[in-house]
Amino acid sequence: MRLLDWLLASADSDSQRSSGRQSFSGLFIAPHLSSNLLIHPQTFSDLVRCAAMPWLLSSQLDYVSSSPSERQCERTAFSFYCSVRERLPVWLLEDMRCMEVFCWDDGHPRAFLPSEALLYALIHDHQDYAQYLLNRYSVSALRAPRCSYCCCRGSGAPHLNIAVRYDRLVILGMMMAALKNCGEQTKRQDYLDSCGGCSHVADAGKSAVQLAVELSHADSLLLLLVEGARPDGLDAALQRLVSCDVSKRHHAQRCLDYLLLFLPKPPLLQRLQDEPQRWQSLLGNKVFSWLQGVAPPPLLLQALRSLMQFGADRISLLPDFLQLHSW
């Protein structure tokens, strides 16, 4: 019996016992839920698809698999997803991906692409597998997969967005290293600043920097900015600072500080003009005046920018009174 068949059989046998689902008049019983819920087989298939592709919008559950072959592809993809989640050895995962796992594409099954496998590695933080895929396939592992729902050509940078959303700093660093081997600076910059992506993807229309600001993932934001990503999202960072919970305010402040550190010229923001006293008390006189365009950048900001040329880690080594929030 092939490994994938064994995994599927094991999953089915487990689910037929008390901890799984039971067949009843063409439906499935899910006793692990708060009550024994009867689930139609198609609904169960949709749930499998949602679990195996969590970066898609929940509205895509309305999509119906049209053939047994397509549903079988979904089963193999879900089994592969579970295998990555269990962090099986790299050689075993690659053996499955190349020979036993299939994706339904334009009416035909095809082998799973390295870029699709990297998405799974990102979600489950399988660092060894991510490192292998990036070393073996380089930037081709970062190509946006084709959307399986509308069949549009892949675009944007879904791997960056997922790395930011799940806060996978180690793998994000691996991806930045792979991008350095891209060769063409223009393509590398376009990838870092990409806001594209199919509308079926949850974070479509947002760059990785904008998403990091929205989620207050300061460490991911700093890594992107150091590698040359455009420091967008200042207005969103200000809004996040005043609207987030107290427990997250420190991270929101760090995101704002990092944007200011990499911002070559501050844009004119309407919210600063509408409530000048409020923002002046929050940002301080020097930063507020600089953002209003009536004063040069604070001296500490200029000094930290010079220090950044020797590495972003140098800032974290400074005493507290020289950190970004103290200007």
Side-chain angles (χ1 to χ4, degrees):
M1 180 182 293
R2 295 183 309 162
L3 174 63
L4 183 56
D5 293 334
W6 178 83
L7 288 170
L8 292 173
S10 299
D12 287 340
S13 62
D14 290 342
S15 62
Q16 292 295 334
R17 293 193 290 270
S18 59
S19 62
R21 66 184 189 278
Q22 299 172 352
S23 171
F24 181 77
S25 300
L27 300 175
F28 292 123
I29 299 178
H32 60 284
L33 300 178
S34 57
S35 60
N36 286 350
L37 179 65
L38 295 179
I39 304 177
H40 190 274
Q42 181 56 53
T43 303
F44 184 81
S45 177
D46 289 338
L47 293 175
V48 166
R49 183 188 302 109
C50 183
M53 293 177 284
W55 54 87
L56 295 171
L57 293 174
S58 58
S59 60
Q60 300 313 310
L61 287 176
D62 296 334
Y63 176 81
V64 178
S65 302
S66 58
S67 69
S69 297
E70 185 172 0
R71 288 193 291 271
Q72 178 61 21
C73 286
E74 292 168 1
R75 284 169 59 85
T76 64
F78 180 64
S79 177
F80 184 59
Y81 174 88
C82 294
S83 300
V84 177
R85 181 187 62 192
E86 296 300 320
R87 299 182 185 177
L88 296 184
V90 171
W91 69 267
L92 190 55
L93 293 174
E94 272 298 274
D95 190 49
M96 293 176 63
R97 184 187 69 81
C98 295
M99 296 189 294
E100 301 181 358
V101 182
F102 297 94
C103 179
W104 192 257
D105 187 5
D106 199 19
H108 300 282
R110 62 161 173 78
F112 238 57
L113 298 175
S115 59
E116 294 165 331
L118 182 58
L119 290 173
Y120 285 4
L122 275 165
I123 291 169
H124 295 302
D125 202 20
H126 196 326
Q127 298 176 15
D128 290 340
Y129 193 30
Q131 185 70 77
Y132 170 82
L133 291 169
L134 291 168
N135 287 344
R136 174 69 176 82
Y137 300 101
S138 188
V139 292
S140 63
L142 298 175
R143 292 174 183 168
R146 182 178 180 180
C147 180
S148 60
Y149 289 96
C150 64
C151 297
C152 70
R153 189 174 182 179
S155 61
H159 299 87
L160 285 183
N161 284 16
I162 289 180
V164 170
R165 175 164 290 280
Y166 287 85
D167 211 16
R168 306 304 191 202
L169 286 174
V170 175
I171 301 181
L172 183 59
M174 298 176 188
M175 293 163 59
M176 295 297 101
L179 281 175
K180 290 181 179 179
N181 300 324
C182 182
E184 297 185 29
Q185 177 64 27
T186 303
K187 290 185 178 180
R188 180 170 173 265
Q189 191 67 49
D190 290 344
Y191 185 82
L192 287 171
D193 299 332
S194 175
C195 295
C198 177
S199 60
H200 297 118
V201 179
D203 296 320
K206 300 176 184 177
S207 70
V209 165
Q210 292 170 336
L211 186 61
V213 171
E214 179 183 308
L215 300 175
S216 296
H217 287 176
D219 292 329
S220 296
L221 176 62
L222 179 59
L223 184 54
L224 291 165
L225 294 174
V226 167
E227 294 300 328
R230 188 169 56 238
D232 289 336
L234 180 59
D235 193 56
L238 292 171
Q239 177 61 33
R240 178 71 174 166
L241 182 63
V242 297
S243 62
C244 67
D245 297 335
V246 176
S247 60
K248 298 181 179 179
R249 188 155 300 167
H250 173 69
H251 300 290
Q253 180 68 57
R254 288 181 63 205
C255 286
L256 175 61
D257 290 343
Y258 288 147
L259 285 177
L260 295 176
L261 185 61
F262 286 87
L263 201 62
K265 182 180 179 180
L268 294 177
L269 300 177
Q270 187 63 40
R271 68 171 68 248
L272 298 182
Q273 300 176 11
D274 293 341
E275 300 179 280
Q277 294 181 348
R278 179 191 187 190
W279 290 108
Q280 190 171 11
S281 63
L282 282 172
L283 300 174
N285 293 333
K286 295 180 180 179
V287 174
F288 179 79
S289 299
W290 173 54
L291 292 178
Q292 289 286 76
V294 297
L299 183 60
L300 179 57
L301 174 63
Q302 299 181 52
L304 292 176
R305 284 179 173 175
S306 298
L307 186 61
M308 283 288 298
Q309 299 177 6
F310 300 96
D313 58 318
R314 298 298 182 93
I315 294 180
S316 61
L317 301 177
L318 294 173
D320 189 67
F321 69 91
L322 288 177
Q323 293 296 331
L324 294 168
H325 58 265
S326 64
W327 56 31

